[in-house]
Coordinates of all heavy atoms in Angstrom, one line a residue:
M1 N -10.5 88.4 200.7 CA -11.9 88.0 200.8 C -12.2 87.1 199.7 O -12.1 87.5 198.5 CB -12.8 89.2 200.9 CG -14.3 88.9 200.8 SD -15.0 88.1 202.2 CE -15.0 89.3 203.5
P2 N -12.6 85.8 199.9 CA -13.0 84.9 198.8 C -14.3 85.3 198.2 O -15.1 86.0 198.9 CB -13.0 83.5 199.5 CG -13.4 83.9 200.9 CD -12.7 85.2 201.2
D3 N -14.6 84.9 197.0 CA -15.9 85.2 196.4 C -17.0 84.2 197.1 O -16.6 83.2 197.6 CB -15.9 84.9 194.9 CG -15.0 85.9 194.2 OD1 -14.8 87.0 194.8 OD2 -14.6 85.6 193.1
C4 N -18.2 84.6 196.9 CA -19.4 83.8 197.4 C -19.2 82.4 196.7 O -18.9 82.3 195.5 CB -20.7 84.4 196.9 SG -22.1 83.4 197.2
D5 N -19.5 81.4 197.5 CA -19.4 80.0 196.9 C -20.5 79.6 195.9 O -20.4 78.6 195.3 CB -19.3 78.9 198.1 CG -20.5 79.0 199.0 OD1 -21.4 79.9 198.8 OD2 -20.5 78.2 199.9
L6 N -21.5 80.5 195.8 CA -22.5 80.3 194.8 C -22.4 81.1 193.5 O -23.2 81.1 192.7 CB -23.9 80.6 195.5 CG -24.4 79.7 196.6 CD1 -25.7 80.2 197.2 CD2 -24.6 78.2 196.0
L7 N -21.2 81.8 193.5 CA -21.0 82.8 192.4 C -21.2 82.1 191.0 O -21.9 82.7 190.2 CB -19.6 83.3 192.5 CG -19.2 84.6 191.9 CD1 -19.9 85.7 192.7 CD2 -17.8 84.9 191.9
E8 N -20.7 80.9 190.8 CA -20.8 80.3 189.5 C -22.3 79.8 189.2 O -22.6 79.6 188.0 CB -19.9 79.1 189.4 CG -18.4 79.4 189.7 CD -17.9 80.3 188.6 OE1 -18.3 80.2 187.4 OE2 -17.1 81.2 188.8
K9 N -23.0 79.6 190.2 CA -24.4 79.1 190.1 C -25.5 80.2 190.1 O -26.6 79.9 189.9 CB -24.8 78.1 191.2 CG -23.9 76.9 191.2 CD -24.5 76.0 192.4 CE -23.5 75.0 192.8 NZ -23.9 74.4 194.1
C10 N -25.1 81.4 190.5 CA -26.0 82.4 190.8 C -26.6 83.2 189.6 O -25.8 83.8 188.9 CB -25.4 83.4 191.8 SG -26.5 84.7 192.3
G11 N -27.9 83.1 189.4 CA -28.5 83.8 188.2 C -28.4 85.3 188.3 O -28.2 86.0 187.3
F12 N -28.5 85.8 189.5 CA -28.3 87.3 189.7 C -26.9 87.7 189.2 O -26.8 88.7 188.4 CB -28.6 87.7 191.1 CG -28.1 89.1 191.4 CD1 -28.9 90.2 191.0 CD2 -26.9 89.4 192.1 CE1 -28.5 91.5 191.3 CE2 -26.5 90.7 192.3 CZ -27.3 91.7 192.0
F13 N -25.9 87.1 189.7 CA -24.6 87.4 189.4 C -24.3 87.2 187.8 O -23.8 88.1 187.2 CB -23.6 86.5 190.1 CG -22.1 86.9 189.9 CD1 -21.6 88.1 190.4 CD2 -21.3 86.1 189.0 CE1 -20.3 88.4 190.1 CE2 -20.0 86.5 188.8 CZ -19.5 87.6 189.3
A14 N -24.8 86.1 187.3 CA -24.6 85.9 185.8 C -25.3 87.0 185.0 O -24.7 87.5 184.0 CB -25.2 84.5 185.4
K15 N -26.4 87.4 185.4 CA -27.2 88.4 184.7 C -26.7 89.8 184.8 O -26.7 90.6 183.9 CB -28.7 88.3 185.0 CG -29.6 89.1 184.2 CD -31.0 88.7 184.4 CE -31.9 89.6 183.5 NZ -33.3 89.2 183.6
Y16 N -26.2 90.1 186.0 CA -25.9 91.5 186.3 C -24.4 91.8 186.5 O -24.0 92.9 186.8 CB -26.7 92.0 187.5 CG -28.2 92.0 187.3 CD1 -29.0 90.9 187.7 CD2 -28.8 93.0 186.5 CE1 -30.3 90.9 187.5 CE2 -30.1 92.9 186.2 CZ -30.9 91.9 186.7 OH -32.3 91.8 186.4
R17 N -23.6 90.8 186.3 CA -22.2 91.0 186.6 C -21.5 92.1 185.8 O -20.6 92.8 186.2 CB -21.4 89.7 186.4 CG -21.5 89.2 185.0 CD -20.8 87.8 184.9 NE -19.4 87.8 185.3 CZ -18.7 86.7 185.5 NH1 -19.2 85.6 185.3 NH2 -17.4 86.8 185.8
D18 N -22.1 92.3 184.5 CA -21.5 93.3 183.7 C -22.3 94.6 183.6 O -22.1 95.5 182.8 CB -21.4 92.8 182.2 CG -20.4 91.6 182.2 OD1 -19.4 91.6 182.9 OD2 -20.7 90.7 181.4
S19 N -23.3 94.7 184.5 CA -24.1 95.9 184.6 C -23.3 97.1 185.0 O -22.4 97.0 185.8 CB -25.2 95.7 185.6 OG -25.9 96.9 185.8
L20 N -23.6 98.2 184.3 CA -22.9 99.4 184.7 C -23.6 100.2 185.8 O -23.1 101.3 186.2 CB -22.7 100.3 183.4 CG -21.8 99.7 182.4 CD1 -21.8 100.6 181.1 CD2 -20.5 99.3 182.8
N21 N -24.7 99.7 186.1 CA -25.6 100.4 187.1 C -24.8 100.4 188.5 O -24.4 99.4 189.0 CB -26.9 99.7 187.3 CG -27.8 100.3 188.3 OD1 -27.6 100.2 189.5 ND2 -28.7 101.1 187.9
L22 N -24.6 101.6 189.0 CA -23.8 101.7 190.2 C -24.3 101.0 191.4 O -23.6 100.3 192.2 CB -23.6 103.2 190.6 CG -22.6 103.9 189.7 CD1 -22.5 105.4 190.2 CD2 -21.2 103.3 189.6
A23 N -25.7 101.0 191.6 CA -26.3 100.3 192.7 C -26.0 98.8 192.6 O -25.7 98.1 193.5 CB -27.7 100.6 192.8
C24 N -26.2 98.3 191.4 CA -26.0 96.9 191.1 C -24.6 96.5 191.3 O -24.3 95.5 192.0 CB -26.4 96.6 189.7 SG -26.8 94.9 189.3
R25 N -23.7 97.3 190.9 CA -22.3 97.0 191.1 C -21.9 97.0 192.6 O -21.1 96.2 193.1 CB -21.4 98.1 190.3 CG -21.6 98.0 188.9 CD -20.7 99.0 188.2 NE -19.3 98.6 188.2 CZ -18.7 97.8 187.2 NH1 -19.5 97.4 186.3 NH2 -17.5 97.5 187.3
G26 N -22.6 97.9 193.3 CA -22.4 98.0 194.7 C -22.8 96.7 195.4 O -22.2 96.2 196.4
F27 N -24.0 96.2 195.0 CA -24.5 94.9 195.6 C -23.5 93.8 195.3 O -23.2 93.0 196.2 CB -25.8 94.5 195.0 CG -27.0 95.3 195.6 CD1 -27.8 96.1 194.8 CD2 -27.2 95.4 197.0 CE1 -28.9 96.8 195.3 CE2 -28.2 96.1 197.5 CZ -29.1 96.8 196.7
I28 N -23.0 93.7 194.1 CA -22.1 92.6 193.8 C -20.8 92.8 194.6 O -20.3 91.8 195.1 CB -21.8 92.6 192.2 CG1 -23.1 92.1 191.5 CG2 -20.6 91.8 191.9 CD1 -23.0 92.2 190.0
K29 N -20.3 94.0 194.7 CA -19.1 94.2 195.4 C -19.2 93.9 196.9 O -18.3 93.2 197.5 CB -18.7 95.7 195.3 CG -17.3 96.0 195.8 CD -16.8 97.4 195.3 CE -15.4 97.6 195.7 NZ -15.3 98.5 196.9
S30 N -20.3 94.3 197.5 CA -20.5 94.0 199.0 C -21.0 92.7 199.3 O -20.6 92.1 200.3 CB -21.4 95.1 199.6 OG -22.6 95.1 199.0
Y31 N -21.8 92.1 198.4 CA -22.3 90.7 198.7 C -21.5 89.6 198.0 O -20.8 88.9 198.7 CB -23.7 90.6 198.3 CG -24.7 91.3 199.2 CD1 -25.0 92.6 199.1 CD2 -25.3 90.5 200.2 CE1 -26.0 93.3 199.9 CE2 -26.2 91.2 201.1 CZ -26.5 92.5 200.9 OH -27.4 93.1 201.8
C32 N -21.5 89.6 196.7 CA -21.0 88.5 195.9 C -19.4 88.4 196.1 O -18.9 87.2 196.1 CB -21.3 88.6 194.5 SG -23.1 88.9 194.2
T33 N -18.8 89.5 196.2 CA -17.3 89.4 196.4 C -16.9 90.2 197.6 O -15.8 90.6 197.7 CB -16.6 90.0 195.1 OG1 -17.0 91.4 195.0 CG2 -17.0 89.3 193.8
G34 N -17.8 90.3 198.6 CA -17.5 91.1 199.8 C -17.9 90.5 201.1 O -18.3 89.3 201.2
E35 N -17.9 91.4 202.1 CA -18.1 90.9 203.4 C -19.5 90.5 203.8 O -19.7 89.8 204.8 CB -17.6 92.0 204.4 CG -18.4 93.2 204.6 CD -18.3 94.2 203.4 OE1 -17.5 93.9 202.5 OE2 -19.1 95.2 203.4
K36 N -20.5 90.8 202.9 CA -21.9 90.5 203.3 C -22.4 89.2 202.6 O -23.6 89.0 202.6 CB -22.8 91.7 202.9 CG -22.5 92.9 203.7 CD -23.2 94.1 203.2 CE -24.6 94.3 203.8 NZ -25.2 95.6 203.4
M37 N -21.5 88.5 202.0 CA -22.0 87.3 201.2 C -22.8 86.3 202.1 O -23.6 85.6 201.5 CB -20.8 86.6 200.5 CG -19.8 85.9 201.5 SD -18.4 85.1 200.7 CE -17.6 86.5 199.9
D38 N -22.5 86.2 203.3 CA -23.2 85.3 204.2 C -24.6 85.9 204.7 O -25.3 85.2 205.4 CB -22.4 84.8 205.4 CG -21.3 83.9 204.9 OD1 -21.5 83.2 203.9 OD2 -20.2 83.9 205.5
D39 N -24.8 87.1 204.3 CA -26.0 87.8 204.7 C -27.0 88.0 203.5 O -27.8 88.8 203.5 CB -25.7 89.1 205.3 CG -26.9 89.7 206.1 OD1 -27.7 89.0 206.6 OD2 -26.9 91.0 206.2
C40 N -26.8 87.1 202.5 CA -27.5 87.3 201.2 C -28.9 86.6 201.3 O -29.0 85.4 201.6 CB -26.7 86.7 200.1 SG -27.5 86.7 198.5
E41 N -29.9 87.3 200.9 CA -31.3 86.7 200.9 C -31.4 85.7 199.8 O -32.2 84.8 199.9 CB -32.3 87.8 200.7 CG -32.5 88.7 201.9 CD -32.9 88.0 203.2 OE1 -33.6 87.0 203.0 OE2 -32.6 88.3 204.3
R42 N -30.7 85.8 198.7 CA -30.7 84.8 197.6 C -30.2 83.5 198.2 O -30.7 82.5 197.9 CB -29.9 85.3 196.4 CG -30.5 86.5 195.7 CD -29.7 86.8 194.4 NE -29.6 85.6 193.5 CZ -30.6 85.3 192.6 NH1 -31.6 86.2 192.5 NH2 -30.5 84.3 191.9
K43 N -29.1 83.6 198.9 CA -28.5 82.4 199.5 C -29.5 81.8 200.5 O -29.7 80.5 200.5 CB -27.2 82.8 200.2 CG -26.3 81.7 200.6 CD -25.0 82.2 201.2 CE -24.1 82.5 200.1 NZ -22.8 83.0 200.6
R44 N -30.1 82.6 201.3 CA -31.1 82.1 202.3 C -32.3 81.4 201.6 O -32.8 80.4 202.0 CB -31.6 83.3 203.1 CG -31.8 83.0 204.5 CD -31.9 84.3 205.3 NE -30.6 84.8 205.9 CZ -30.2 86.0 206.0 NH1 -31.0 87.0 205.6 NH2 -29.0 86.3 206.5
Y45 N -32.8 82.1 200.5 CA -33.9 81.5 199.7 C -33.5 80.1 199.2 O -34.3 79.2 199.3 CB -34.2 82.5 198.5 CG -35.4 82.0 197.7 CD1 -36.6 82.6 197.9 CD2 -35.3 81.0 196.8 CE1 -37.7 82.2 197.1 CE2 -36.3 80.6 196.0 CZ -37.6 81.3 196.2 OH -38.6 80.8 195.4
R46 N -32.3 80.0 198.7 CA -31.9 78.7 198.1 C -31.9 77.6 199.2 O -32.2 76.5 199.0 CB -30.5 78.9 197.4 CG -30.1 77.8 196.6 CD -28.7 78.0 196.1 NE -28.5 78.8 194.9 CZ -28.4 78.3 193.7 NH1 -28.3 77.0 193.5 NH2 -28.3 79.0 192.7
Q47 N -31.4 78.0 200.4 CA -31.3 77.1 201.5 C -32.7 76.6 201.9 O -33.0 75.5 202.2 CB -30.5 77.6 202.6 CG -29.0 77.7 202.4 CD -28.3 78.6 203.3 OE1 -28.9 79.3 204.1 NE2 -27.0 78.7 203.2
Q48 N -33.6 77.6 202.0 CA -35.0 77.3 202.4 C -35.8 76.5 201.5 O -36.6 75.7 201.8 CB -35.7 78.6 202.8 CG -35.2 79.2 204.1 CD -35.8 80.6 204.3 OE1 -36.5 81.1 203.5 NE2 -35.4 81.2 205.4
H49 N -35.6 76.8 200.2 CA -36.5 76.3 199.1 C -35.8 75.1 198.3 O -36.5 74.5 197.6 CB -37.0 77.4 198.2 CG -37.8 78.5 198.9 ND1 -39.1 78.4 198.9 CD2 -37.4 79.6 199.5 CE1 -39.6 79.5 199.6 NE2 -38.5 80.2 199.9
G50 N -34.5 75.0 198.5 CA -33.9 74.0 197.7 C -33.8 74.3 196.2 O -33.4 73.4 195.5
A51 N -34.0 75.5 195.9 CA -34.0 75.9 194.5 C -33.7 77.4 194.5 O -34.0 78.1 195.5 CB -35.3 75.7 193.8
P52 N -33.1 77.9 193.5 CA -32.7 79.3 193.4 C -33.9 80.2 193.2 O -34.9 79.8 192.6 CB -31.7 79.4 192.3 CG -32.1 78.3 191.4 CD -32.6 77.2 192.3
P53 N -33.8 81.4 193.7 CA -34.9 82.4 193.4 C -34.7 82.9 191.9 O -33.7 82.6 191.3 CB -34.6 83.6 194.4 CG -33.1 83.5 194.6 CD -32.8 82.1 194.5
V54 N -35.7 83.7 191.5 CA -35.6 84.3 190.1 C -34.3 85.2 190.1 O -33.8 85.7 191.1 CB -36.8 85.2 189.8 CG1 -38.0 84.3 189.7 CG2 -37.0 86.3 190.8
D55 N -33.8 85.3 188.9 CA -32.5 86.1 188.7 C -32.7 87.5 189.2 O -31.7 88.1 189.6 CB -32.1 86.1 187.3 CG -31.8 84.8 186.7 OD1 -31.7 83.8 187.5 OD2 -31.7 84.6 185.5
E56 N -33.8 88.1 189.1 CA -34.1 89.5 189.4 C -34.2 89.8 190.9 O -34.4 90.9 191.4 CB -35.3 90.0 188.8 CG -35.2 90.0 187.2 CD -35.3 88.7 186.6 OE1 -35.8 87.7 187.2 OE2 -34.7 88.5 185.5
M57 N -34.0 88.7 191.8 CA -34.0 89.0 193.2 C -32.6 89.5 193.6 O -31.7 88.8 193.3 CB -34.4 87.8 194.0 CG -34.5 88.1 195.5 SD -34.5 86.7 196.6 CE -36.2 86.3 196.6
L58 N -32.6 90.6 194.3 CA -31.3 91.2 194.8 C -30.9 90.4 196.0 O -31.7 89.8 196.7 CB -31.5 92.7 195.1 CG -31.7 93.7 194.0 CD1 -32.2 94.9 194.5 CD2 -30.4 93.8 193.2
P59 N -29.6 90.6 196.4 CA -29.1 90.0 197.6 C -29.9 90.5 198.9 O -29.9 89.9 199.9 CB -27.6 90.4 197.7 CG -27.3 90.7 196.2 CD -28.5 91.2 195.6
T60 N -30.5 91.6 198.7 CA -31.3 92.2 199.8 C -32.7 91.6 199.9 O -33.4 91.8 200.9 CB -31.5 93.7 199.6 OG1 -32.2 93.9 198.4 CG2 -30.2 94.5 199.7
G61 N -33.1 90.8 198.9 CA -34.4 90.2 198.8 C -35.4 91.1 198.0 O -36.5 90.6 197.8
Q62 N -35.1 92.3 197.7 CA -35.9 93.1 196.9 C -35.7 92.7 195.4 O -34.7 92.1 195.1 CB -35.6 94.6 197.1 CG -36.0 95.1 198.5 CD -35.4 96.5 198.7 OE1 -34.2 96.7 198.5 NE2 -36.2 97.4 199.1
M63 N -36.7 93.2 194.6 CA -36.5 92.9 193.1 C -35.7 94.0 192.4 O -35.8 95.2 192.8 CB -37.9 92.8 192.5 CG -38.6 91.5 192.9 SD -37.8 90.0 192.4 CE -38.4 88.8 193.5
V64 N -35.0 93.6 191.4 CA -34.2 94.5 190.7 C -35.1 95.5 190.0 O -36.0 95.1 189.2 CB -33.4 93.8 189.6 CG1 -32.6 94.7 188.7 CG2 -32.4 92.8 190.2
P65 N -34.9 96.8 190.1 CA -35.6 97.8 189.4 C -35.3 97.7 187.9 O -34.3 97.2 187.5 CB -35.1 99.2 189.9 CG -34.5 98.9 191.2 CD -34.0 97.4 191.1
S66 N -36.2 98.0 187.0 CA -36.2 97.7 185.6 C -35.0 98.4 184.9 O -34.6 98.0 183.8 CB -37.5 98.1 184.9 OG -37.8 99.4 185.2
D67 N -34.5 99.5 185.5 CA -33.4 100.2 184.8 C -32.0 99.7 185.2 O -31.0 100.2 184.8 CB -33.5 101.7 185.2 CG -33.3 102.0 186.6 OD1 -33.3 101.0 187.4 OD2 -33.2 103.2 187.0
Y68 N -31.9 98.6 185.9 CA -30.6 98.1 186.3 C -29.8 97.5 185.2 O -28.6 97.4 185.3 CB -30.8 97.0 187.4 CG -30.7 97.5 188.8 CD1 -31.1 98.8 189.1 CD2 -30.1 96.7 189.8 CE1 -31.0 99.2 190.4 CE2 -30.0 97.2 191.0 CZ -30.5 98.4 191.4 OH -30.4 98.9 192.7
L69 N -30.4 97.2 184.0 CA -29.7 96.6 183.0 C -29.1 97.7 182.0 O -28.3 97.4 181.2 CB -30.5 95.6 182.2 CG -30.5 94.2 182.7 CD1 -31.5 93.3 181.8 CD2 -29.2 93.6 182.8
S70 N -29.6 98.9 182.2 CA -29.2 100.0 181.3 C -27.8 100.5 181.8 O -27.3 100.3 182.8 CB -30.2 101.1 181.3 OG -30.4 101.6 182.6
Ligands
SF4_1 S1 -26.3 87.2 195.0 FE1 -25.9 86.2 196.9 S2 -25.9 84.0 196.3 FE2 -25.5 85.2 194.5 S3 -23.4 85.3 194.2 FE3 -24.0 87.2 195.2 S4 -23.8 86.7 197.4 FE4 -23.7 84.8 196.3

């Protein structure tokens, strides 16, 4: 499975790639480097708005809970 083609540009991935939070790691595994990469709300947002969403938007479209960086 190839990585998401936006991986290098994605603020969410850049900010949370080293997070130890299990939920966050799960999102990265299933979306950014997994089978759900084409179902990513961040990707959809970028296509619709021509600009990336805030880094804290999850691939599901929800916002990252504040404890995700811990
Ligand atoms: S959050 Fe979405 S757009 Fe960003 S790298 Fe992961 S799958 Fe790609």
